[in-house]
Amino acid sequence: MDDTLYGKRDKRGNWTPNKKLQRSPIFVWPVQPVKFLRWFLGYPGYLWPWNAGYFAISLIVWLYLTPSLETMREFHAQWMSLILARNAALTVALYGGFHLILYVMRRQQTTFKYNAKWPDSDNQTFMFGNQNAENIFWTMCSAVPIWTAVEAVTWWLYANGYLPYVDFADHPVYFVALLILVPAWRELHFYLIHRLIHVGPLYHWVHKLHHNNVNPGPWSGLSMHPVEHFLYFTGVIIHFVVPSHPLHSMFQLMHAGLSPAKSHVGFDKMVVDGDHMIDTDNYYHYLHHKYFEVNYGEKRIPLDEWFGTFHDGSSESDEVMARRIKAKKYVRGGSA
């Protein structure tokens, strides 16, 4: 597979796609119904393959790998341990699977890899001097337990009737519409808490740990400070006030827990076989790790465009970013 057909490499071997990042058709005016339907139903698009995949996992987990609500009316170590083990197994399978194929076996070497370097294995910035080791530690020892704790509280609230509940049989259209909106809410919530933890002391105390991964890999996705993990998984609280089914909350939590592997994978495409590829759709967030003060959200909702922090990967965006940073430094210097 020749990745130069889809992008270009600089002198250091770093790869960038030819296509600039663009708005999702839902936020383009005048309305473009054909493009919208292609984006919404097509491949790759809003539903396929990633959101549909996360939902399929959520449905299977809810039906077969989650105790009954009756069981979860009281907090007990037995059922919470089962959820912890299940979340840990899913994390190892997905994050470890991406890492094994792309970073251990290196099946496509650096084809479609944004940064030609591999994760640091001798860098004292990271715990144990090893980027992957630190990433795995924070993922398995902080992210998974906090994810599980938030999930356990959510099931306990549902089981005891403390949350507004809606059933598919009674409101099928509303039920499906809410499922479709879960990824959009996830994106909005992520943007809000992400901007918050980029502010002053919060960045240095909390978010800097995640940004040590300038060259992210799959395990970097949930490598965060425990405070950030808690804030990140609180996206589920939307279902504490909006009438929902536990499946909506499961989708919310599974999406939050599993999607960072793909969004930090470091490769634009995964080569499956010959000319067959899977688009990882993570260039938008990669640019955030590369440039720090851009692309705080995701590309489906153009919040970064609206607030002046959008970078599409072009040299023009580099110039805009440089002017913005220079202006910010000037203001700070003038106010000192």
Side-chain angles (χ1 to χ4, degrees):
M1 174 60 65
D2 184 2
D3 61 7
T4 59
L5 296 174
Y6 300 86
K8 58 185 178 181
R9 291 196 174 277
D10 62 19
K11 293 179 180 179
R12 297 181 178 180
N14 300 326
W15 185 89
T16 55
N18 287 329
K19 277 188 173 183
K20 291 182 181 180
L21 293 167
Q22 295 180 337
R23 275 191 186 191
S24 301
I26 192 172
F27 289 102
V28 173
W29 186 262
V31 177
Q32 300 175 329
V34 175
K35 284 189 176 181
F36 169 77
L37 288 173
R38 283 180 188 159
W39 167 77
F40 186 69
L41 298 173
Y43 177 93
Y46 180 77
L47 295 179
W48 307 96
W50 297 106
N51 285 334
Y54 299 135
F55 174 70
I57 293 171
S58 303
L59 182 61
I60 292 169
V61 167
W62 173 248
L63 292 175
Y64 302 110
L65 298 174
T66 304
S68 67
L69 288 177
E70 181 70 27
T71 300
M72 297 187 286
R73 283 184 177 173
E74 300 288 342
F75 288 114
H76 289 297
Q78 185 176 11
W79 67 261
M80 289 189 288
S81 297
L82 288 173
I83 292 176
L84 178 65
R86 173 251 280 162
N87 290 344
L90 287 170
T91 301
V92 170
L94 188 65
Y95 289 71
F98 277 130
H99 181 76
L100 176 65
I101 292 168
L102 296 171
Y103 287 84
V104 177
M105 299 171 64
R106 297 185 182 179
R107 284 185 54 181
Q108 61 191 71
Q109 292 301 315
T110 57
T111 301
F112 295 113
K113 191 174 189 301
Y114 303 126
N115 191 318
K117 292 177 61 179
W118 297 99
D120 290 328
S121 57
D122 185 19
N123 184 339
Q124 295 310 305
T125 298
F126 299 101
M127 188 186 303
F128 319 116
N130 186 293
Q131 181 178 349
N132 286 325
E134 177 180 284
N135 288 175
I136 293 170
F137 173 83
W138 287 113
T139 299
M140 299 306 297
C141 297
S142 176
V144 172
I146 290 172
W147 166 12
T148 301
V150 172
E151 183 179 344
V153 170
T154 302
W155 302 149
W156 178 83
L157 290 169
Y158 270 116
N160 287 281
Y162 295 136
L163 300 185
Y165 179 90
V166 66
D167 195 76
F168 176 79
D170 297 328
H171 303 282
V173 175
Y174 173 83
F175 189 101
V176 173
L178 196 57
L179 281 176
I180 291 171
L181 289 172
V182 162
W185 163 249
R186 264 262 304 120
E187 188 170 323
L188 177 59
H189 174 265
F190 173 71
Y191 177 85
L192 293 173
I193 63 107
H194 196 186
R195 288 306 302 261
L196 173 66
I197 57 179
H198 262 266
V199 175
L202 274 177
Y203 174 78
H204 293 286
W205 297 339
V206 175
H207 194 46
K208 188 176 184 296
L209 188 154
H210 182 69
H211 265 286
N212 287 336
N213 297 284
V214 177
N215 179 22
W219 285 105
S220 304
L222 280 179
S223 181
M224 307 171 186
H225 189 282
V227 171
E228 182 172 356
H229 283 138
F230 174 73
L231 293 172
Y232 177 72
F233 284 106
T234 57
V236 76
I237 63 174
I238 188 69
H239 304 291
F240 291 12
V241 293
V242 174
S244 311
H245 186 275
L247 181 58
H248 295 107
S249 293
M250 179 64 81
F251 187 24
Q252 181 83 39
L253 289 163
M254 284 292 155
H255 199 289
L258 300 180
S259 63
K262 186 267 295 182
S263 62
H264 291 79
V265 75
F267 287 77
D268 195 70
K269 304 178 193 303
M270 290 182 63
V271 180
V272 179
D273 181 30
D275 293 331
H276 295 91
M277 302 173 293
I278 299 174
D279 192 334
T280 61
D281 194 29
N282 74 114
Y283 187 52
Y284 193 103
H285 192 68
Y286 171 77
L287 290 172
H288 176 72
H289 278 264
K290 182 178 180 180
Y291 294 120
F292 177 72
E293 291 188 327
V294 302
N295 297 6
Y296 292 96
E298 297 291 345
K299 68 178 185 179
R300 282 176 289 274
I301 305 176
L303 290 162
D304 285 295
E305 289 187 61
W306 295 339
F307 291 101
T309 54
F310 175 62
H311 198 301
D312 65 4
S314 66
S315 56
E316 291 83 3
S317 282
D318 283 341
E319 293 172 6
V320 171
M321 179 184 66
R323 288 197 298 269
R324 189 176 73 246
I325 292 173
K326 184 177 180 180
K328 184 184 292 187
K329 288 180 178 178
Y330 176 80
V331 170
R332 286 175 178 171
S335 62

